[in-house]
Amino acid sequence: MWLNPEEVLLKNALKLWVTEKSNDFFLLQRRRGHGDSGGKFTGLLVGALDTVLDSNARVTPFRILLQVPGSQVSWAIACGAAVEEMNRHWDWLVQNLLHSLSVFENKEDVASFVKGKVKGLIAEEVRGRQAAQEEDPEKFRGSLLKFELRFGLPSSEKLVTTYSCCCWKGRVPRQGWLYLSINHMAFYSFLLGKEVKFVIPWAEVTRLERISTGLMTDMVRVTTRQRQRDFSMFLSMDEAFRFMCQLADIALRRLLDSGGLELDRELQQTSNVTKRVLEQQALRAYVLALFRLPRGERLQEAALCSMWTPHARCHTPGTLYTTDRYLGFSSRDEGRCSVLIPLSEVISVEKAESTSVLPSPVIISVRSKKAFQLIELQDRDSLVDISVHLQASSSPYYTFCYDTKYCDGEEIEERPLRHTVNPDALMACYQHSEPDPNNCTSTMEQMKERLWEEHFSEYGRGIHMFRTEKIQKLVAMGIPESLRGELWMTFSDASSELASHPDYYTGLVAESMGQSSLATEEIERDLHRSLPDHPAFQNVTGIAALRRVLTAYAHRNPKIGYCQSMNILASVLLLYTKEEEAFWLLVTVCERMLPDYFNRRVIGAQVDQSVFEELIRERLPELAEHIPDLSPLSTISLSWFLTLFLSVLPFRSAVCVVDCFFFHGTKAIFQLGLAVLEANAAALCSSADDGQALMVLTGFLDQVTDNDDPSSPASQPPSSPSGEEGNPPVEQHTLITDLITDSYEKFGDLTVKQIESLRCRHRIQVLQAHEDTTKENAVDVSLSPENLSDIYDLFKTEHFINLYWGEGSTTVALQTHDPSRPYVDQYRVDRAQFKSLYVLLVPWLCGLHTDTVAHRTFTLLDQDRDSFITFREFAGWLGMYTLYCKELNEKIRLLYCLHIPPGYCDIIDFCCIPQREFIQFCKTLYSMFHGNPDENELFQAIATVTSLVLQIGEVGHRSRCSGSEVSSDGGTEDEVEENHREGSRDHPVFSTKEEGGTGKSLGLENQSEWTVSYAQILASLLTEQQLVNFFEKPMDLSAKVAEAKLKHTSDPRYFTCLQTSTVNKVLKSSVKLYLLSVV
């Protein structure tokens, strides 16, 4: 393979390598001992050395060197393990380069030419590997060449796909090409002699949406903080928009880490991201949401097929999804029929004989003595291979699931009772209210139980039951309390986690109880606020169980720990399930069903609120028209999503909502929320303010009752529609079953796929809103909000440049990222990036001395010694301690601190600097005056001050020498000075090579007798009015920031500005493209 050229000393290499072929410019060499059949001593010795010391040489025994006549230095340009490969490389060099090199007169030109060609070959191989992953490799290779040439981005910027489209500028469309890469979207157009191109970083995109205008009915609008851009006339609008949303979402989650969002491992490695990978990840996200699977599940295959459904007596067409631990079937119409089969329950997967009636059948048998039949599978072998990995066991007799006459779905294998801290559900011991013998609660419960038993006999029981529209109706009626815990475990698949982790919970309880942390403190504070009116949590037993569940989960997942509303949810789970089951239900809700909800910024909940707003505009247009700003409604509905309506509905009504949630997932909460708003649309439209709207919704939810509740007002005789004079009419109560049924009928067409698509798009807006809030509340410094905002953007840009194209690309940069830090401290720059910002923002540069001062400043700010500066540190330095501050004393203090160890800045009044550092201090001042209109006067003033301070230091030195034997009062100052000397010897600032330097350390042992203090330097500077005027002159930070922004946008590393060039520039680019195509 070709290598980036590396220098090699030939005289050393000849001892270990044998030349096979050579000419005037190239050598093909073989490692001595490789391929020798005689077993000579020299070859054996080299082989032994390779084995012990040089494993790389042992792996690649052949190499090609570039040698320049008359030079002792050569360059390795290729290496390989097979002689055939090296011969191909050699032949290419001889045929394509050897004759061209003879015309060069300068040997340096020969080396540069060959190294450039080799690097081009390496780039071509990289493009080839990328192109090989695409459907049309040749077309993608051409697009990649144009992308690199037109936009000048680094080669590490991976192109994903391209689209032909129009970009609108006002009413004028420009036909061109849209390039979507890992970190940017770029557009290029050449029309009527004008070239238009621009690059938009995904990190700057604040909104992606599809709009309709008078000119075009379907357009994609990309909004950044600076402007909007509209694109249209895509050949495949849906696909292009989906990929744009995915790439923006991935980039923002990778770059604007919120401390809670999780990104798939495959997407964290940007080199792996291709168009095909994005399609697979979108499908995977949909499958995980559809079946509420663990976030770590990987999608292995999706195959079209048909499954025999016994209740319909036919084969239902759909898709079979195979993941690491599950088989999931979903009908073509989402929600009509679905089945989830854990692979741990599968006994065998067998192929049956194919017939015209049953083409390509496959039978999947499970442990509950049932089997599922699939037909029309194109690739049966991949599914049958699953059985190879299953535990070998004898297959018991089973009856097909469609043979209902002999169906024994109710015959569930009894499993031994697992040990739990609390073996029974709390509801079994504590009833919420005393039963009333005069109501029909018992009759209703018996009727529901009978309906469910009939359903089990027909559709199966357990995790792999058929989930159809009929079960949806049963859930809407309310699950009977005797079956509620079992069905919650079944619908959520928490039962599989419980079965695969025996004794896990009891171990967590033993480990976590007695430990103290912030999470446990918050848990203790909220324990008695969890369903305080329920008798189960008015005693020690219920509180202790709740404490164990919450503490065990916080111990299991410290990234989430404990968040408010988890206590309410866990309380309800404990009422209907055993303690260990309640724990696994809580795990399922927090980590599967409500992803990213429970973190310190509740990003997932906020994303769903943004999705909910769009659904209101789409499904309730009249309400959205009367209330243009829907943010107050989404603020009210936030608690609906966080607590599953448990905090706003009466208890029995809220439990019915939890039933729907475990069956449908978050979709049920969206549907019910829309139904609540639609039922109160008229009152909300007439509301005068947000407070009145809150009262309307709160009053409505308070009167939503359950028909089974004996204390429900709905069970009481209806009152007169109007009361006595002055009293409002009695409100009509709403049954929760009617409200749920209404939500299914009116909003049941909302699908999981639509919700996941909306989440991907709205997550962009939420993350950017967090970014804006962080910028507004970044730090408390003496900078104006406008300047602070612009400086924040500049700092973030430098941070992103490191993430985009730093050493090792994003991987190394992300390794230094620490999500545990406060959010404003997560943006960090290294020493080189700080110097770039220093040059942009500091008002007085120091000429050739600038790098030294920037280096000292970085070391001063890097107090934790991690070689990174956070934005908090940077903004604090710029606003409070730089030359932009108004106080002359602070400016001189900062310059003085640059010449002492950073740890001594707090005791600057006691810390003195030696003569050598004072001279460096004066050099810094001298360099600051270059180019100033009063340069000569300032030089004279600083010369006077220097002379004065040197005299002061000499006088002090003599007085200390004469009084050192009798002085006893200066112990403190002498001790500080001694510490200063010791700390200076090893500190990086004082060991770097300075101007005119000898390369020696700036230790203070030779100048220990001559020192000068900060107060003496400051007093001397104040004697020269010219210097006082210079340092007291106000500096305009706003103008400097504006200039820095202009320079930053023109930086080729961060190419974001719109560029329109003349025909000559276009022709130049066209010639380059033509020459490249010829080559």
Side-chain angles (χ1 to χ4, degrees), residues 181-219:
S181 69
I182 294 299
N183 299 306
H184 302 81
M185 61 177 297
F187 179 79
Y188 178 87
S189 173
F190 177 60
L191 187 65
L192 299 178
K194 286 189 177 182
E195 180 187 59
V196 175
K197 58 181 178 180
F198 57 83
V199 176
I200 302 175
W202 292 123
E204 293 298 319
V205 175
T206 58
R207 182 185 294 267
L208 284 170
E209 55 188 338
R210 294 177 69 167
I211 62 171
S212 297
T213 63
L215 296 175
M216 299 296 299
T217 57
D218 197 6
M219 302 177 68

Side-chain angles (χ1 to χ4, degrees), residues 897-963:
C897 287
L898 296 180
H899 298 80
I900 62 175
Y904 292 84
C905 293
D906 295 335
I907 52 173
I908 188 173
D909 294 332
F910 299 99
C911 189
C912 298
I913 61 175
Q915 188 178 42
R916 184 176 182 84
E917 281 305 314
F918 172 69
I919 294 174
Q920 293 299 328
F921 175 84
C922 295
K923 286 183 179 180
T924 302
L925 293 180
Y926 270 112
S927 61
M928 291 169 56
F929 303 148
H930 282 295
N932 191 283
D934 301 325
E935 181 178 345
N936 293 332
E937 292 80 1
L938 291 170
F939 282 162
Q940 293 177 4
I942 194 62
T944 302
V945 170
T946 302
S947 177
L948 178 60
V949 175
L950 287 173
Q951 294 176 14
I952 294 174
E954 187 64 26
V955 171
H957 162 57
R958 291 176 180 175
S959 63
R960 283 193 299 272
C961 289
S962 61

Side-chain angles (χ1 to χ4, degrees), residues 608-626:
D608 280 353
Q609 293 314 295
S610 185
V611 172
F612 190 50
E613 288 185 26
E614 178 160 337
L615 291 175
I616 294 173
R617 294 188 181 93
E618 178 184 337
R619 303 300 182 101
L620 304 173
E622 294 182 0
L623 178 62
E625 183 178 352
H626 282 81

Side-chain angles (χ1 to χ4, degrees), residues 636-652:
I636 296 172
S637 63
L638 179 62
S639 62
W640 303 354
F641 286 78
L642 282 173
T643 65
L644 309 179
F645 282 90
L646 288 168
S647 63
V648 294
L649 282 175
F651 175 76
R652 289 185 177 274

Side-chain angles (χ1 to χ4, degrees), residues 673-956:
L674 291 172
V676 170
L677 294 182
E678 196 234 11
N680 295 273
L684 291 173
C685 290
S686 60
S687 298
D689 52 32
D690 299 343
Q692 188 174 354
L694 175 61
M695 292 178 62
V696 168
L697 293 174
T698 302
F700 174 80
L701 293 172
D702 285 342
Q703 55 85 39
V704 175
T705 60
D706 180 23
N707 199 33
D708 296 345
D709 190 350
S711 61
S712 168
S715 63
Q716 305 297 328
S719 303
S720 174
S722 61
E724 298 178 0
E725 184 178 356
N727 294 329
V730 178
E731 295 182 359
Q732 183 66 37
H733 292 276
T734 303
L735 291 177
I736 185 62
T737 53
D738 294 340
L739 188 62
I740 292 175
T741 303
D742 192 49
S743 70
Y744 284 154
E745 292 177 353
K746 295 181 178 179
F747 309 106
D749 58 336
L750 181 65
T751 64
V752 174
K753 184 172 291 186
Q754 292 173 350
I755 293 175
E756 286 302 303
S757 177
L758 290 172
R759 279 175 169 171
C760 180
R761 180 154 55 89
H762 285 270
R763 192 180 293 112
I764 299 170
Q765 302 176 29
V766 171
L767 287 176
Q768 293 289 21
H770 269 284
E771 195 68 8
D772 293 338
T773 303
T774 303
K775 183 164 59 175
E776 293 172 2
N777 305 320
V779 284
D780 184 15
V781 296
S782 57
L783 296 176
S784 66
E786 295 78 12
N787 286 339
L788 185 61
S789 174
D790 292 336
I791 294 170
Y792 184 87
D793 291 337
L794 291 171
F795 191 91
K796 185 175 69 172
T797 299
E798 283 293 338
H799 174 80
F800 284 167
I801 288 173
N802 187 27
L803 291 182
Y804 292 157
W805 311 305
E807 294 294 331
S809 189
T810 60
T811 304
V812 174
L814 288 177
Q815 286 175 355
T816 64
H817 180 259
D818 185 3
S820 64
R821 286 174 171 262
Y823 194 52
V824 70
D825 291 343
Q826 292 184 19
Y827 286 145
R828 300 190 289 173
V829 296
D830 57 17
R831 191 178 297 271
Q833 292 172 311
F834 174 79
K835 288 182 180 180
S836 175
L837 291 171
Y838 184 91
V839 172
L840 288 174
L841 294 175
V842 170
W844 299 313
L845 296 178
C846 301
L848 299 177
H849 202 58
T850 299
D851 284 349
T852 301
V853 178
H855 167 74
R856 288 173 175 257
T857 305
F858 182 90
T859 305
L860 176 66
L861 297 179
D862 184 22
Q863 297 185 4
D864 55 1
R865 302 293 177 264
D866 61 351
S867 298
F868 285 94
I869 298 295
T870 67
F871 178 72
R872 186 187 303 277
E873 296 167 338
F874 182 81
W877 162 75
L878 195 63
M880 299 176 62
Y881 305 110
T882 67
L883 305 176
Y884 286 106
C885 61
K886 298 180 181 179
E887 297 295 331
L888 178 146
N889 294 3
E890 292 299 325
K891 298 176 183 178
I892 303 302
R893 184 186 184 91
L894 171 66
L895 295 174
Y896 186 84
C897 287
L898 296 180
H899 298 80
I900 62 175
Y904 292 84
C905 293
D906 295 335
I907 52 173
I908 188 173
D909 294 332
F910 299 99
C911 189
C912 298
I913 61 175
Q915 188 178 42
R916 184 176 182 84
E917 281 305 314
F918 172 69
I919 294 174
Q920 293 299 328
F921 175 84
C922 295
K923 286 183 179 180
T924 302
L925 293 180
Y926 270 112
S927 61
M928 291 169 56
F929 303 148
H930 282 295
N932 191 283
D934 301 325
E935 181 178 345
N936 293 332
E937 292 80 1
L938 291 170
F939 282 162
Q940 293 177 4
I942 194 62
T944 302
V945 170
T946 302
S947 177
L948 178 60
V949 175
L950 287 173
Q951 294 176 14
I952 294 174
E954 187 64 26
V955 171

Side-chain angles (χ1 to χ4, degrees), residues 566-618:
M566 289 174 61
N567 59 321
I568 299 176
L569 179 59
S571 301
V572 175
L573 299 178
L574 282 168
L575 290 176
Y576 295 99
T577 60
K578 302 173 184 179
E579 187 175 318
E580 186 175 8
E581 294 174 340
F583 169 78
W584 285 112
L585 280 173
L586 183 64
V587 170
T588 302
V589 172
C590 295
E591 299 176 9
R592 294 196 205 176
M593 304 184 72
L594 296 177
D596 304 322
Y597 264 59
F598 300 98
N599 54 48
R600 55 196 179 96
R601 288 185 177 82
V602 291
I603 293 291
Q606 293 188 53
V607 171
D608 280 353
Q609 293 314 295
S610 185
V611 172
F612 190 50
E613 288 185 26
E614 178 160 337
L615 291 175
I616 294 173
R617 294 188 181 93
E618 178 184 337

